[in-house]
Amino acid sequence: MQRIPNQLLIIFGASGDLTERKLIPSLFDLYQGGHLPEHFAVLGVSRSNGDDEAFRNRLAVDNPHIPETIGNHGLRREFARKLFYFGLGESYDTDYVKLAERIEALHQSEQTDGNAMFYLSVPPKIYESVARNLHASGLADTSTGHRRLIVEKPFGYDLQTARALNRGLQQYFDEAQIYRIDHYLGKETVQNLLVTRFSNSIFEPLWNRNYIRHVEITNAESVGVGKRGGYYDTAGALRDMFQNHLLQIVSLVVMEPPIGPDAESIRNEKVKALKSLRIMRDAETLHRNTIRGQYLAGQVDGKEVPGYREEPGVDPHSTTETYAALKFYVDNWRWAGVPFYVRTAKRMPTRVTEIVIHFQSPHHQIFRESGMDSKDNKLIIRIQPNEGILIKFGVKVPGQGFSVERANLEFYYSDLSENRVMDAYERLLLDAMQGDATLYARADEVEAAWEFVDPILDFWKKGEGVDTYGYTAGMWGPRNADELFDGPYYWRNPGEHLRDDPGFCIID
Ligand code: BG6
């Protein structure tokens, strides 16, 4: 691993939920694991008044999201000394001269070598003004050290706003300095997709239309919208999960082999992959290939839960989708004719994200009688929970004749117990500190994803006869969800455990 330069991390939106829940706990874990550079400090910036001491206590010493373990109390205090606070006053759109002075003073006292990374954990509508003010006060100037800008999703509300946001930020920072965070790319199992595909000669030759019949991706959450009703009702599942996290996963499944492992080679292929998704434009195609749904009151994990329209902050007549399922094609040599089925939803029976590669049946069936052709070979890549890989294949039933049954071959990440798997934010923060943008989305990737999603959003908003189907919380979506599938296929509704059935076995 490259050495990480000494640096200062400046978090805008330091009194917010993300800073407390994710950013500071991840930094603490990095500190505990000895991954931070020798000279490192965090400056929290927000509009509230406050001082270093209160900030340190709230975010490090007493932060409920840093699990208390025997002996980490002292470490928390030690880590807390790396945290500082600066109150900007009433607005983020102000003069940053005083902030620049504080940053300069910290570079001196904490020996952070003039390097600065700005993390914008503030509403996207003010990204551009923060970038402009940083630039105006000389804080974007790279002559004394590196400058990086990390931004959180959503990157735009549609293609037009995403383009405007990208152009807005690029006036003040170069594209190479902008890190668009998508926390799914920080998940170890998402990254492992690249390794599964490009380091294994048992999979690589099969990864195309000749051997794969269809691809299925499920992202299910058992939670509802919780306290985020206000935001969610203006977004919906397609914007909240599909445009970003799921299309990132799709691009890793679809992409061609990159020339090398560097950020630009990988991101170039991802953009090409996203650009080859067939954009659905006419109403008939959109009608046939998309389903939106919304959860009604029901039971999840044995508990009664309210319907989406009863959630705080949600319009009681809302038709916003909490379930989105799409079928689409990829127009390139590798994937011609292979349908992709992708769905994301809240208030499903369990929390699970997985990719299922369904292989074609053997083209000459010798053991037709066995019924195996209706049980295809599958490669299941489990992203969460129970992270791992499962292969389903046919085995001969011992004894006379050739009866075939299906067996499981599985690998669990947890078996590699000596390697602690980093949390997505830890990994991504570390990469940005190192200047590695491989796992961050580039402007053209984000725009290509919107290009695919925009017509669907538009159709759902204005199309004639577009329904939002209700589904009871705790069920696998609306009743017609399987109608997307061609032939005798349907969604695999996975359980919490990767291995959903014992496979063929004989009990003596
Ligand atoms: C966020 C979405 O980006 O991802 C949330 O805004 C969603 O609505 C979350 O719950 C899911 O992340 P994870 O890592 O729990 O699958």
Side-chain angles (χ1 to χ4, degrees), residues 153 183-184 187 221 228 240-241 245 346 351 384:
K153 69 164 244 262
H183 79 280
Y184 265 60
K187 292 185 194 268
E221 293 183 274
R228 298 163 71 225
D240 184 52
M241 289 295 301
H245 308 321
K346 297 214 184 272
R351 172 178 184 255
Q384 61 190 19

Side-chain angles (χ1 to χ4, degrees), residues 83-102:
L83 308 188
F84 301 86
Y85 182 78
F86 183 83
L88 258 186
E90 275 172 18
S91 160
Y92 282 102
D93 194 6
T94 178
D95 178 344
Y96 289 0
V97 173
K98 289 233 155 45
L99 173 63
E101 285 166 12
R102 181 81 199 271

Side-chain angles (χ1 to χ4, degrees), residues 194-397:
L194 290 174
V195 175
T196 305
R197 287 194 54 193
F198 302 125
S199 295
N200 289 299
S201 50
I202 56 168
F203 298 128
E204 192 276 334
L206 306 184
W207 211 267
N208 60 55
R209 65 186 302 266
N210 295 326
Y211 299 98
I212 294 177
R213 192 184 46 228
H214 68 267
V215 176
E216 189 186 333
I217 302 178
T218 289
N219 167 266
E221 293 183 274
S222 54
V223 294
V225 293
K227 293 186 201 145
R228 298 163 71 225
Y231 145 76
Y232 196 91
D233 209 30
T234 61
L238 215 56
R239 287 193 176 90
D240 184 52
M241 289 295 301
F242 182 83
Q243 185 275 339
N244 36 70
H245 308 321
L246 286 174
L247 282 183
Q248 284 292 335
I249 295 177
V250 168
S251 71
L252 295 172
V253 173
V254 165
M255 71 191 260
E256 293 299 311
I259 300 168
D262 57 290
E264 289 327 304
S265 301
I266 292 179
R267 299 197 300 178
N268 287 344
E269 293 306 333
K270 284 172 64 198
V271 176
K272 253 169 66 190
L274 290 168
K275 288 194 167 164
S276 44
L277 305 188
R278 186 184 303 165
I279 299 179
M280 296 183 266
R281 294 197 191 277
D282 65 285
E284 213 262 309
T285 309
L286 285 157
H287 205 272
R288 249 187 305 115
N289 296 296
T290 67
I291 296 183
R292 66 171 173 176
Q294 190 187 85
Y295 64 82
L296 308 168
Q299 272 200 358
V300 177
D301 283 337
K303 279 197 221 98
E304 298 292 332
V305 297
Y308 175 69
R309 290 180 178 181
E310 286 117 54
E311 301 275 18
V314 171
D315 172 357
H317 303 291
S318 171
T319 52
T320 298
E321 79 285 357
T322 60
Y323 174 101
L326 309 182
K327 172 186 173 191
F328 58 87
Y329 288 91
V330 180
D331 283 334
N332 65 17
W333 195 265
R334 184 183 291 274
W335 295 109
V338 178
F340 279 67
Y341 301 94
V342 182
R343 64 178 167 171
T344 175
K346 297 214 184 272
R347 286 292 187 220
M348 298 270 100
T350 189
R351 172 178 184 255
V352 59
T353 303
E354 64 173 32
I355 303 160
V356 188
I357 307 291
H358 294 257
F359 291 95
Q360 307 268 16
S361 304
H363 45 261
H364 178 56
Q365 294 272 1
I366 310 175
F367 308 116
R368 204 179 300 247
E369 298 303 300
S370 66
M372 261 315 274
D373 47 340
S374 62
K375 298 181 189 155
D376 53 2
N377 286 160
K378 292 188 189 66
L379 169 68
I380 300 168
I381 301 172
R382 180 56 80 96
I383 290 171
Q384 61 190 19
N386 231 235
E387 291 82 354
I389 292 181
L390 174 68
I391 298 176
K392 288 183 178 277
F393 66 109
V395 288
K396 179 181 173 304
V397 176

